[in-house]
Amino acid sequence: MTDPIAPDRAVPDRTALVAHARDSIARGSRSFALASKLFDRQTRERAWLLYAWCRKCDDIADGQDHGGALSVVADAQARLSDMRVMTDRALRGEPTGDPAFDGFGLVMRECAIPHRYAHDLIEGFALDARDWRPRSQDDMLRYCYHVAGAVGCMMAVLMGVDPQDDATLDRACDLGLAFQLANIARDIGEDEAADRCYLPVEWLVEMDIPPGEHMKPWVRPRLAILGRRLADMAAAYEASARHGTGALPPRAAWAVLAAAGIYGDIARTVARRGPMAWDHRVVTRKSDKLMWVARAGLQVIGRARRWPGETVRPGTLWRRPSV
């Protein structure tokens, strides 16, 4: 966990905070690091600062260092309390002694990002801290909002979207949901090893999969059905998110569309592998990532025609909580 700090400790200068954040995203996510290079410099640095805080909170909650194998932590509530205290201090503009939190406070002030999204993200970690499990599909999607959809909203404001533009923020949230659904599909085995499961209980009952048995070899064909279901859901939210790119500057839209394609390949690969999806961790090859960068560049040119912003968002999609 983060060490206690001296109240008079000064916040590092912006250059140092950006350098720390750049190193954090390079270590924590090659996919997001690549997509971030498509932003203009200011937006790129701000995206790094936000990512570093998200990554640090995740690591605090799970006892990790920039990802890796999940571990079972014995002091989850203490870690959560520490995370809340440090986040609130950063939001007040006070020094924290941790560059991830100090950089987060800086970008929140620079972009006037509503604080509620930061608190919503932490609520996702609070669910994990109390060994929460989703009973229904809506429960799962609500969790996806807390740990990823809220970040999508913060990123949208960071890229210049008006915090009152609910229609565009809904689309930004949809991309976060798509990313998290892909994560859930890919990480079923890793989550099971850490005594976690984000598959709704109702889904497991529907597939006649006994509690705690979903990774057993004899269940794999049934689990593959749920993997495809998650991939189909991710695709629906990804498609919806693309309709929000018209509200973004061209370079920001380029980065978002590239990230959507790169991350979408994770869910698509899980669906394609079927029962073998969890034999080896799904990754997107560098050549495929570069292909998406090129494809997204072309998509930016015709995005208004392909994904008009005035298109009504499908009513069948789950919607983030209103303020």
Side-chain angles (χ1 to χ4, degrees), residues 120-176:
D120 282 350
L121 175 63
I122 292 177
E123 285 307 308
F125 295 118
L127 291 172
D128 282 331
R130 60 175 186 262
D131 294 326
W132 170 90
R133 300 287 188 275
R135 291 199 57 81
S136 67
Q137 180 173 296
D138 278 0
D139 287 344
M140 178 184 66
L141 288 167
R142 190 172 298 108
Y143 174 80
C144 289
Y145 164 73
H146 281 295
V147 299
V151 179
C153 293
M154 287 192 279
M155 277 295 300
V157 177
L158 182 154
M159 289 184 281
V161 174
D162 188 326
Q164 302 303 315
D165 183 354
D166 286 334
T168 301
L169 292 177
D170 282 344
R171 303 292 189 171
C173 177
D174 284 344
L175 189 58

Side-chain angles (χ1 to χ4, degrees), residues 271-286:
R272 186 175 65 252
R273 287 186 181 178
M276 296 181 290
W278 304 278
D279 291 347
H280 304 284
R281 182 177 175 84
V282 172
V283 296
T284 304
R285 296 176 301 180
K286 185 174 182 179

Side-chain angles (χ1 to χ4, degrees), residues 271-309:
R272 186 175 65 252
R273 287 186 181 178
M276 296 181 290
W278 304 278
D279 291 347
H280 304 284
R281 182 177 175 84
V282 172
V283 296
T284 304
R285 296 176 301 180
K286 185 174 182 179
S287 59
D288 291 332
K289 293 176 183 179
L290 294 175
M291 179 199 68
W292 275 112
V293 168
R295 183 180 295 178
L298 296 174
Q299 289 174 341
V300 169
I301 299 172
R303 58 187 160 135
R305 183 178 66 257
R306 294 183 64 180
W307 304 298

Side-chain angles (χ1 to χ4, degrees), residues 21-320:
R22 180 192 61 225
D23 292 344
S24 179
I25 196 170
R27 291 180 60 195
S29 176
R30 293 179 183 177
S31 294
F32 289 147
L34 175 62
S36 74
K37 293 178 181 179
L38 306 180
F39 288 126
D40 63 86
R41 179 178 176 179
Q42 183 181 68
T43 305
R44 178 168 59 248
E45 291 179 351
R46 288 172 169 173
W48 289 346
L49 292 169
L50 181 58
Y51 173 89
W53 171 73
C54 295
R55 177 74 269 171
K56 187 58 179 281
C57 287
D58 203 14
D59 286 346
I60 291 173
D62 294 336
Q64 299 172 298
D65 180 11
H66 289 80
L70 290 173
S71 60
V72 178
V73 298
D75 56 346
Q77 292 299 328
R79 289 170 178 269
L80 181 65
S81 177
D82 185 64
M83 190 190 308
R84 291 190 195 278
V85 169
M86 296 286 281
T87 296
D88 287 343
R89 187 171 288 157
L91 289 173
R92 293 195 299 268
E94 299 173 6
T96 69
D98 187 308
F101 285 91
D102 289 338
F104 164 71
L106 176 64
V107 73
M108 292 292 281
R109 292 190 295 278
E110 285 185 355
C111 301
I113 299 173
H115 292 185
R116 67 177 180 273
Y117 295 124
H119 298 309
D120 282 350
L121 175 63
I122 292 177
E123 285 307 308
F125 295 118
L127 291 172
D128 282 331
R130 60 175 186 262
D131 294 326
W132 170 90
R133 300 287 188 275
R135 291 199 57 81
S136 67
Q137 180 173 296
D138 278 0
D139 287 344
M140 178 184 66
L141 288 167
R142 190 172 298 108
Y143 174 80
C144 289
Y145 164 73
H146 281 295
V147 299
V151 179
C153 293
M154 287 192 279
M155 277 295 300
V157 177
L158 182 154
M159 289 184 281
V161 174
D162 188 326
Q164 302 303 315
D165 183 354
D166 286 334
T168 301
L169 292 177
D170 282 344
R171 303 292 189 171
C173 177
D174 284 344
L175 189 58
L177 297 179
F179 287 170
Q180 189 60 27
L181 288 166
N183 280 340
I184 291 173
R186 178 193 61 194
D187 297 340
I188 291 173
E190 296 173 28
D191 290 334
E192 192 272 341
D195 196 27
R196 294 184 182 180
C197 180
Y198 298 107
L199 298 171
V201 172
E202 291 178 358
W203 285 15
L204 297 175
V205 171
E206 176 190 345
M207 291 291 108
D208 196 22
I209 299 175
E213 300 286 310
H214 58 280
M215 285 304 298
K216 295 297 177 63
W218 65 272
V219 176
R220 285 294 187 92
R222 303 179 200 178
L223 186 63
I225 294 173
L226 298 183
R228 286 195 297 273
R229 185 180 298 181
L230 287 166
D232 289 344
M233 290 178 64
Y237 285 99
E238 179 187 333
S240 174
R242 291 173 182 272
H243 287 275
T245 57
L248 304 177
R251 290 193 63 173
W254 187 14
V256 168
L257 289 169
I262 291 168
Y263 230 80
D265 273 355
I266 293 174
R268 287 185 281 271
T269 301
V270 169
R272 186 175 65 252
R273 287 186 181 178
M276 296 181 290
W278 304 278
D279 291 347
H280 304 284
R281 182 177 175 84
V282 172
V283 296
T284 304
R285 296 176 301 180
K286 185 174 182 179
S287 59
D288 291 332
K289 293 176 183 179
L290 294 175
M291 179 199 68
W292 275 112
V293 168
R295 183 180 295 178
L298 296 174
Q299 289 174 341
V300 169
I301 299 172
R303 58 187 160 135
R305 183 178 66 257
R306 294 183 64 180
W307 304 298
E310 63 271 16
T311 299
V312 176
R313 184 175 178 272
T316 54
L317 298 182
W318 185 89
R319 189 174 186 274
R320 65 194 174 98

